[in-house]
């Protein structure tokens, strides 16, 4: 079946540091890939997505590239801010008929300090 | 545009009691999902609706969980009776197409 593996957290960084959160996946076919972010006490917000190999999703300074050869979708940001502190979920979407079924990783907590 | 609305945001009940959660999806979104998110985990799908039809309920514990979406718009998820292990955040999501899902803020359930 489909699965997503993320690096375990928490990841603790100083403000303005470079961020990488690793994500690899196992899936049949050609899934779409997503990063969602969950701030404390809130639901999941879509951060970025990529729908085919070599696509790069980007939003709010975050980027991730769909790498089919390594089945990876690593999240990066060049300079993190304290406001980026949250839990980040990698997910893949398997198309089943008329809608998608999301499979999530376990999440990676990011803590950014001054 | 209003997002996915869920209520209540928090619920505390004693075990064996019933509980219900309500979700109103984004206007025009035909597909509605209910997920359960255990502490420290990613969300797991419970049920998916296409309009008023439940097209994937394979992960819904049918002995105690039920859901409905009678008019193809808002939806209710019910647990009766609740058990200690049901403590989690219950998330509702909707999507306009076959791809991107938009999530509500969730209902945090605590069963004592």
């Amino acid at each position: 079946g489909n699965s997503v593996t993320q690096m375990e957290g928490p990841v603790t960084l100083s403000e303005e540091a470079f961020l990488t959160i690793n994500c690899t996946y196992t899936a049949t076919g050609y899934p779409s890939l997503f990063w969602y972010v969950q701030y404390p006490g809130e639901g999941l917000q879509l951060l970025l997505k990529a729908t085919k190999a070599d696509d790069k999703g980007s939003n709010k300074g975050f980027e991730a590239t769909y790498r089919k050869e390594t089945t990876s979708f690593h999240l990066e940001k060049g300079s993190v801010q304290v406001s980026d502190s949250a839990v980040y979920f990698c997910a893949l979407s398997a198309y089943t008929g008329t809608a998608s079924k999301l499979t999530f990783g376990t999440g990676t907590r990011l803590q950014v300090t001054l | 545009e209003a997002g996915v609305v869920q209520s209540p945001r928090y619920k505390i009940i004693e075990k064996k009691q019933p509980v219900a959660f309500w979700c109103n999806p984004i206007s025009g979104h035909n597909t509605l999902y209910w997920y359960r998110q255990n502490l420290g985990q990613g969300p797991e799908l419970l049920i998916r609706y296409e309009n008023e039809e439940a097209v994937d309920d394979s992960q819904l514990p049918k002995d105690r969980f039920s859901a409905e979406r009678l008019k193809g718009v808002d939806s209710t998820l019910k647990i009766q009776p609740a058990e200690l292990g049901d403590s989690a955040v219950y998330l509702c999501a909707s999507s306009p197409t076959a791809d991107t899902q938009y999530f509500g803020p969730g209902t945090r359930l605590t069963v004592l």
Side-chain angles (χ1 to χ4, degrees), chain B residues 17 20 30 36 75 84 86 91 97:
Chain B
Q17 295 300 305
N30 295 330
R36 177 168 59 190
S75 176
L84 295 176
D86 295 331
L91 294 165
T97 65

Side-chain angles (χ1 to χ4, degrees), chain A residues 32 34 36 38 41-46 49 51 89 93-107, chain B residues 9-10 31 33 35 37 40-43 45 48 50 56 58-59 91 95 97-106:
Chain A
S32 295
F34 302 81
Y36 281 85
Q38 188 172 35
E42 298 185 14
L44 277 74
Q45 299 177 23
L46 178 64
K49 70 176 185 180
T51 58
F89 291 92
S93 171
Y95 186 61
T96 56
T98 59
S100 63
K101 183 171 183 176
L102 279 174
T103 300
F104 287 89
T106 55
Chain B
R9 291 294 311 276
Y10 305 91
T31 308
Y33 310 78
Y35 289 85
Q37 184 179 19
Q41 301 293 316
L45 181 68
R48 170 169 64 92
E50 292 292 336
D56 184 357
S58 58
Q59 301 302 311
L91 294 165
S95 65
T97 65
D99 205 347
T100 304
Q101 297 180 27
Y102 298 86
F103 285 79

Side-chain angles (χ1 to χ4, degrees), chain A residues 17-39:
Chain A
F18 184 87
L19 168 71
T20 300
I21 300 178
N22 291 336
C23 170
T24 57
Y25 68 90
T26 301
T28 55
Y30 304 95
S32 295
L33 300 174
F34 302 81
W35 279 100
Y36 281 85
V37 59
Q38 188 172 35
Y39 298 101

Side-chain angles (χ1 to χ4, degrees), chain B residues 3-59:
Chain B
V4 176
V5 179
Q6 291 188 247
S7 68
R9 291 294 311 276
Y10 305 91
K11 189 74 175 178
I12 301 174
I13 61 172
E14 294 188 347
K15 63 181 181 182
K16 301 184 182 180
Q17 295 300 305
V19 65
F21 316 124
W22 177 80
C23 171
N24 189 263
I26 294 172
S27 178
H29 287 194
N30 295 330
T31 308
L32 182 147
Y33 310 78
W34 283 103
Y35 289 85
R36 177 168 59 190
Q37 184 179 19
N38 292 314
L39 188 64
Q41 301 293 316
E44 295 179 329
L45 181 68
L46 291 173
I47 189 168
R48 170 169 64 92
Y49 281 93
E50 292 292 336
N51 298 303
E52 66 274 10
E53 182 182 359
V55 296
D56 184 357
D57 63 356
S58 58
Q59 301 302 311

